[in-house]
Amino acid sequence: HCTPVLSKHMAAGAIHDSKERCNAPKCMPETRVAVQDEILSWITDGHKDTEPKTILWVTGPAGTGKAAILGTIAERCKADGTLAATFFFSSFSGSLARRSKTHLVSTLAYQLLEHKGLDRVGQVGACMSQAIRGSPAILQKRLQTQLEELVLLPFRQRAPTGAGPMSQNRMAIIIDGLDECDRRHTKEDEQIEILSALLHAATDPSFPFVIVIASRPELAIREFFSAGLARDATRELFLDNKYNPDADIRLFYESKFSSIRRRFNLSPEWPTVKELLKLVANASGQFIYAATVMRFVEGPPTGTQNVAPAVPGLRTPHQRLVRILELRTRPHTPNVRPLEALDILYDSVVRTCSEPLLSMKWLGAISFLLARINPMPARLVRLWLEQSPGEEVCVLGPLSSLISIPSDPNCDELYSFHHKSFADFFEDESRCADLYVS
């Protein structure tokens, strides 16, 4: 009885291996090994710690690769049988369900219900069905009530005394991108309600899971984890230089350059070691910088229709690499901006457009229209914004390393940004300076 109800109210695209996430970032082999091992070790052996915790908060600045790490962790946990459920928020998803709290509990409950190893005798499913029959409007209630009746109560009735979260075979619920739950005007309220409900579950003795939450260290989230019961239940893992991101970023660059060399029949000496090391240094530990650089150097995907003619001087990967290497960061000062290298990169890419301010106008409009309850498909945005047929290609074509344009001009697909940090850039006047369009 409850499977159809939950499936109708769930956010299918938020599950780690959904079709919507087929191109989501993952860690390349041999990269992010230390941080992955630490997270997996905590999931399986954290109950042996001197002060066992039931929540792991993975945090760090924009662009440090949190989504890629959590996506890879979800795959590895599924492979070794320690994954219970996942939810990947996304502020630029076409679905409102991935941008708000509304479908979180129903999506987690659906996965727990369908999990082969969790409900062998059907007791959990029967209890969920009973809760839905007894209260058909349960999914309209506050999150804590939903979690209590759809998840905690079924496992409380199933679990033998003492088989709580510190039992030997710990399984994880993974929540990524909490900072991307960003309904306008209620963002912080929603985030705190989600965290409060998850904390309520994680501290219940009958809850048989641990919870891994990833987000930027935004003020409301940071304050939640630094006080009271949340502080006592949570271990924080901050992605900083301790995890040697430079070595991993170099491996990433080497793999991508190897692919470009094969595609364009380039010398095995390209790029030079000196150039490679400069790119690593410029990334300052930010994987988003490295990923954006490589998308720019590769150029538009082969066979892409919606691409403007190559900008003179930027036709080949080598020319594009030289452009990146010539970018200059300003001299270091005590108040140097942490995302300065990324800002300069984004600024440079936007200025390859023939009319950068017109491109910024389009980007602002696209971002605004994606955040609506019913996001506007690319074809309608084009009808609304184009002053002349073909303007979209001229305005957005040079930005293929930053934004994805649907290949079929008549389909109902949405524009999508490759990373939230690009929108952070063009919506902030202090970062994009004279390119800013209000």
Side-chain angles (χ1 to χ4, degrees):
H1 173 78
C2 65
T3 304
V5 175
L6 291 174
S7 63
K8 193 163 66 174
H9 288 87
M10 66 182 284
I15 299 174
H16 75 282
D17 56 358
S18 68
K19 182 172 75 172
E20 194 173 311
R21 296 193 73 254
C22 65
N23 293 320
K26 297 281 193 317
C27 297
M28 293 180 60
E30 308 306 320
T31 66
R32 314 316 301 268
V33 174
V35 67
Q36 284 186 57
D37 287 349
E38 187 160 343
I39 295 171
L40 290 168
S41 162
W42 177 83
I43 291 170
T44 55
D45 299 322
H47 60 286
K48 298 174 185 171
D49 292 346
T50 318
E51 295 180 28
K53 311 288 187 184
T54 50
I55 296 175
L56 178 68
W57 180 35
V58 180
T59 187
T64 46
K66 295 179 291 295
I69 291 167
L70 269 286
T72 305
I73 291 291
E75 297 285 1
R76 291 181 65 178
C77 285
K78 185 173 183 179
D80 62 22
T82 56
L83 183 68
T86 56
F87 196 101
F88 282 70
F89 284 101
S90 171
S91 58
F92 288 114
S93 167
S95 158
L96 175 66
R98 289 186 62 191
R99 292 184 273 130
S100 76
K101 66 180 183 182
T102 319
H103 296 72
L104 174 64
V105 175
S106 52
T107 306
L108 296 178
Y110 179 86
Q111 293 171 81
L112 298 176
L113 183 66
E114 294 287 293
H115 197 292
K116 299 285 188 291
L118 285 175
D119 193 22
R120 291 192 180 91
V121 294
Q123 193 175 344
V124 171
C127 196
M128 283 188 191
S129 291
Q130 191 177 347
I132 290 172
R133 274 197 301 270
S135 177
I138 178 67
L139 295 174
Q140 311 305 319
K141 295 188 177 180
R142 64 183 186 138
L143 294 187
Q144 188 163 313
T145 305
Q146 291 182 41
L147 262 176
E148 178 71 33
E149 296 188 24
L150 289 175
V151 177
L152 287 173
L153 193 58
F155 281 100
R156 202 174 287 145
Q157 293 185 0
R158 186 202 75 151
T161 311
M166 297 308 162
S167 61
Q168 293 301 306
N169 298 316
R170 303 210 316 177
M171 298 180 73
I173 289 176
I174 294 174
I175 312 284
D176 178 68
L178 181 62
D179 53 282
E180 297 201 35
C181 171
D182 64 356
R183 291 278 292 277
R184 292 178 190 272
H185 312 304
T186 59
K187 173 178 178 172
E188 292 183 355
D189 293 342
E190 288 211 359
Q191 291 171 348
I192 298 308
E193 185 184 352
I194 290 168
L195 288 170
S196 300
L198 293 173
L199 177 65
H200 172 73
T203 51
D204 188 296
S206 61
F207 187 67
F209 311 112
V210 291
I211 300 175
V212 181
I213 300 172
S215 78
R216 297 184 190 181
E218 291 184 350
L219 183 61
I221 299 172
R222 199 167 66 239
E223 286 180 345
F224 179 88
F225 281 120
S226 64
L229 192 58
R231 183 188 60 225
D232 298 337
T234 304
R235 177 178 166 194
E236 179 183 329
L237 193 158
F238 194 89
L239 296 176
D240 55 19
N241 291 334
K242 179 177 78 172
Y243 296 101
N244 198 10
D246 285 1
D248 289 338
I249 286 172
R250 179 170 179 171
L251 283 172
F252 171 79
Y253 277 138
E254 286 173 343
S255 170
K256 290 292 187 180
F257 279 126
S258 173
S259 172
I260 294 172
R261 283 196 296 268
R262 285 194 301 272
R263 188 171 138 204
F264 290 90
N265 197 22
L266 298 171
S267 158
E269 307 302 315
W270 180 87
T272 66
V273 172
K274 182 179 177 183
E275 290 168 336
L276 185 65
L277 292 177
K278 182 173 181 182
L279 289 174
V280 172
N282 289 350
S284 307
Q286 294 172 311
F287 278 80
I288 179 56
Y289 178 94
T292 305
V293 161
M294 293 316 300
R295 277 197 298 267
F296 182 77
V297 173
E298 284 172 325
T302 46
T304 307
Q305 299 171 21
N306 300 25
V307 175
V311 177
L314 291 178
R315 289 190 174 87
T316 67
H318 179 72
Q319 289 173 321
R320 291 190 284 267
L321 174 63
V322 169
R323 168 67 68 92
I324 292 292
L325 291 168
E326 286 174 347
L327 298 180
R328 293 277 182 269
T329 54
R330 285 174 278 284
H332 284 282
T333 60
N335 17 319
V336 66
R337 302 195 313 276
L339 297 177
E340 183 177 56
L342 195 57
D343 291 351
I344 291 169
L345 174 62
Y346 286 156
D347 181 279
S348 173
V349 174
V350 170
R351 289 184 196 278
T352 65
C353 299
S354 57
E355 293 182 64
L357 289 175
L358 182 59
S359 296
M360 291 289 274
K361 173 185 160 184
W362 272 66
L363 292 169
I366 290 167
S367 175
F368 174 76
L369 294 168
L370 283 176
R372 295 173 2 138
I373 290 176
N374 296 307
M376 190 181 281
R379 64 179 180 81
L380 295 182
V381 177
R382 193 169 59 247
L383 281 172
W384 179 46
L385 285 178
E386 277 192 331
Q387 297 173 60
S388 172
E391 183 179 302
E392 177 207 52
V393 173
C394 297
V395 166
L396 299 180
L399 303 179
S400 61
S401 59
L402 302 174
I403 183 172
S404 175
I405 306 169
S407 54
D408 178 356
N410 300 312
C411 71
D412 279 335
E413 288 179 33
L414 305 173
Y415 292 112
S416 62
F417 296 103
H418 289 305
H419 200 281
K420 185 176 186 288
S421 68
F422 181 47
D424 294 343
F425 164 77
F426 66 69
E427 290 173 356
D428 185 340
E429 187 173 4
S430 70
R431 291 178 62 188
C432 63
D434 63 319
L435 286 176
Y436 181 70
V437 175
S438 72

